[in-house]
Amino acid sequence: MQMAGGVLPVLATPFDRHSEIDRTQLERLVDWQYEQGADGVTIAMVSEILRLSVSERESLAAAVVAASADRGSVVVSVGHESTHLATRLAKSAETTGATAIMAIPPISVPLADDQLLGYFSAIADSTVLPLIVQDASGYVGTPMSISLQARLLEDFGAEKILFKPEAVPLGPRLTALMDATGQRAQAFEGSGGSALIDTYPRGVVGTMPGSDLTWAVKALWYALENKQVARADEIHSALLPLVSLSPGLDTYIAVEKYLLHKQNVLETQYVREPASYRIDEATRIVADRMFDQLNHVVRGGKK
């Protein structure tokens, strides 16, 4: 399947009470994404991949590809602290039937641009799949240089190398990337849809929000695609406060799983330990109120 843009939600990974991946809940979650209008699905940081073994990541990717059943693109994150294991994951994703792979830089040690170039080049060379280079510094690590990203596109081409820029300030850095690549860079927004108002006019080809608010982000994307400026502003204004409840990775995972449970998509809200955040009653009250406001704006209160 050819890589497509649009709304490609990052799946939460459902766990059972024994902290094992729950395949039944996972299949329901994937089905729900397409029911809400998703153009594909993604496995990435919010999927708790840093808490999964390599074999679990391979198994998760295979399960998601099977559940997706050619209904849309499937992007599989393969970034690792080891180039050897990152390339293993990339090859496995290709064998499994993924549409594209995505990779963050190693995060345990700071690397110079030449080392990062070698890491991403090795991943790109290991598979025929397109590679989305994710600057995940909004959550972890340090920002990647624009010149390095432009070099990767120059070396491999715009159909092979795509981007998910998350370093701040997001808008100006996205414009800098577009300028450095002669407007050839294909980039995905990665801020839960909250930055789409700023990044869509700068040329993003899609967004990778969490999997809890796919219906809202899809409505926002549709409004932007169809130049419905007032409608896009209205949805964005209701979406932003809810996304802003999750400033960090563990916070995002906890709120996402709570909202998926609230919508009867997931039966459980388990996360893998250790986790630095648990959603408390005060946050639930605020999240419920903001969710209801967003639901009213997007769907008139209908579920």
Side-chain angles (χ1 to χ4, degrees):
M1 179 182 293
Q2 186 175 3
M3 180 65 198
V7 179
L8 308 175
V10 180
L11 299 171
T13 299
F15 295 107
D16 62 23
R17 64 180 65 254
H18 304 294
S19 199
E20 299 293 335
I21 298 173
D22 189 316
R23 301 300 178 83
T24 301
Q25 290 194 76
L26 178 65
E27 290 173 4
R28 169 60 186 140
L29 176 60
V30 172
D31 285 343
W32 191 76
Q33 299 309 306
Y34 290 110
E35 291 167 8
Q36 307 309 306
D39 299 294
V41 292
T42 304
I43 300 170
M45 296 287 286
V46 176
S47 310
E48 298 180 69
I49 58 171
L50 297 182
R51 295 183 175 127
L52 302 179
S53 68
V54 169
S55 60
E56 283 180 317
R57 289 175 66 172
E58 292 174 325
S59 177
L60 177 64
V64 169
V65 169
S68 190
D70 292 325
R71 287 178 286 181
S73 299
V74 178
V75 179
V76 175
S77 290
V78 303
H80 202 281
E81 296 305 285
S82 157
T83 303
H84 174 74
L85 291 177
T87 55
R88 168 182 161 174
L89 286 164
K91 293 172 185 176
S92 176
E94 179 182 335
T95 301
T96 293
T99 312
I101 56 173
M102 184 162 67
I104 64 169
I107 60 176
S108 58
V109 292
L111 298 175
D113 275 8
D114 62 334
Q115 294 171 303
L116 286 174
L117 179 64
Y119 166 80
F120 282 111
S121 296
I123 296 172
D125 282 331
S126 70
T127 174
V128 300
L129 297 179
L131 167 62
I132 301 170
V133 176
Q134 181 183 6
D135 181 345
S137 55
Y139 287 132
V140 294
T142 56
M144 296 173 59
S145 72
I146 299 297
S147 60
L148 168 63
Q149 296 176 71
R151 170 69 184 277
L152 285 166
L153 186 144
E154 186 64 29
D155 287 352
F156 290 95
E159 297 303 315
K160 177 71 173 182
I161 299 295
L162 300 87
F163 303 93
K164 188 185 179 193
E166 298 175 25
V168 296
L170 183 55
R173 284 182 60 90
L174 175 58
T175 293
L177 176 61
M178 298 299 291
D179 290 345
T181 59
Q183 310 304 313
R184 292 185 297 153
Q186 300 180 72
F188 290 84
E189 187 260 357
S191 302
S194 64
L196 273 177
I197 289 291
D198 182 26
T199 57
Y200 183 85
R202 298 175 190 262
V204 293
V205 298
T207 176
M208 295 180 178
S211 54
D212 52 337
L213 301 172
T214 303
W215 47 273
V217 178
K218 181 67 178 185
L220 175 56
W221 183 260
Y222 178 88
L224 290 167
E225 286 276 86
N226 290 278
K227 299 180 173 56
Q228 299 171 354
V229 177
R231 177 61 172 162
D233 287 345
E234 179 186 34
I235 297 171
H236 174 258
S237 295
L239 175 67
L240 183 58
L242 190 51
V243 176
S244 297
L245 281 179
S246 308
L249 183 57
D250 267 2
T251 314
Y252 201 108
I253 292 168
V255 173
E256 177 186 29
K257 288 191 169 182
Y258 169 69
L259 291 176
L260 285 167
H261 178 70
K262 175 183 175 69
Q263 296 172 87
N264 300 311
V265 181
L266 294 186
E267 296 175 7
T268 66
Q269 301 176 53
Y270 299 123
V271 299
R272 276 221 169 147
E273 299 291 348
S276 64
Y277 178 82
R278 289 287 185 273
I279 187 168
D280 60 12
E281 183 61 23
T283 303
R284 278 194 291 270
I285 292 171
V286 174
D288 285 346
R289 185 176 71 250
M290 292 179 175
F291 177 89
D292 289 344
Q293 292 171 346
L294 178 62
N295 188 46
H296 178 75
V297 167
V298 176
R299 302 189 292 198
K302 298 178 182 178
K303 295 184 178 180

